[in-house]
Amino acid sequence: MSEWNAPLYPESDGDDSDIWKIRSYEISNNKAARDTILWHAIAHEMPIHPSAPVVTFLIDPVNSIMLHAYDDRGMDVMADDAAKLRDAYSAFDGWLLDYDRERMRILF
């Protein structure tokens, strides 16, 4: 849908190596595209192929929920309201990291 350049870390010293090419795509109804982009995000640091160096955020703008799959160890799921995450929090309790549990317990 669109493409632009932006610093990975806006607070950095402006080094050009921090400038990333960012692309957005509409893949709502394309399960194969979602699976492919997630595969590449997860497989990038693993000795398997195919893989691609991508940083992936899947965003549901209607419900204001974002998923950031960062590697084979996990993902972050974020929303603008804790209630939107309550079902996922309960359903995937066994997958939650212990060091985040106290913070999450306070939210939920």
Side-chain angles (χ1 to χ4, degrees):
M1 291 179 52
S2 64
E3 181 176 303
W4 64 97
N5 293 325
L8 179 60
Y9 302 105
E11 66 279 356
S12 69
D13 62 7
D15 181 3
D16 284 346
S17 66
D18 286 338
I19 303 297
W20 283 51
K21 182 171 294 293
I22 301 172
R23 295 181 179 110
S24 69
Y25 302 94
E26 170 57 58
I27 59 173
S28 299
N29 298 317
N30 190 335
K31 183 180 181 322
R34 289 192 311 264
D35 289 352
T36 299
I37 205 93
L38 284 170
W39 171 269
H40 286 291
I42 293 167
H44 171 60
E45 294 181 1
M46 299 171 64
I48 57 177
H49 297 281
S51 68
V54 296
V55 177
T56 302
F57 294 90
L58 297 179
I59 301 169
D60 178 345
V62 173
N63 293 301
S64 300
I65 297 174
M66 180 171 72
L67 179 137
H68 173 217
Y70 46 83
D71 60 24
D72 63 313
R73 295 168 291 181
M75 66 181 71
D76 295 323
V77 182
M78 298 152 269
D80 65 346
D81 178 9
K84 295 176 182 177
L85 300 174
R86 191 167 287 114
D87 289 343
Y89 175 78
S90 298
F92 298 102
D93 178 70
W95 296 15
L96 302 176
L97 300 176
D98 288 337
Y99 73 83
D100 279 340
R101 283 191 182 275
E102 180 61 21
R103 184 175 56 88
M104 290 184 283
R105 186 191 61 74
I106 292 167
L107 287 172
F108 297 106

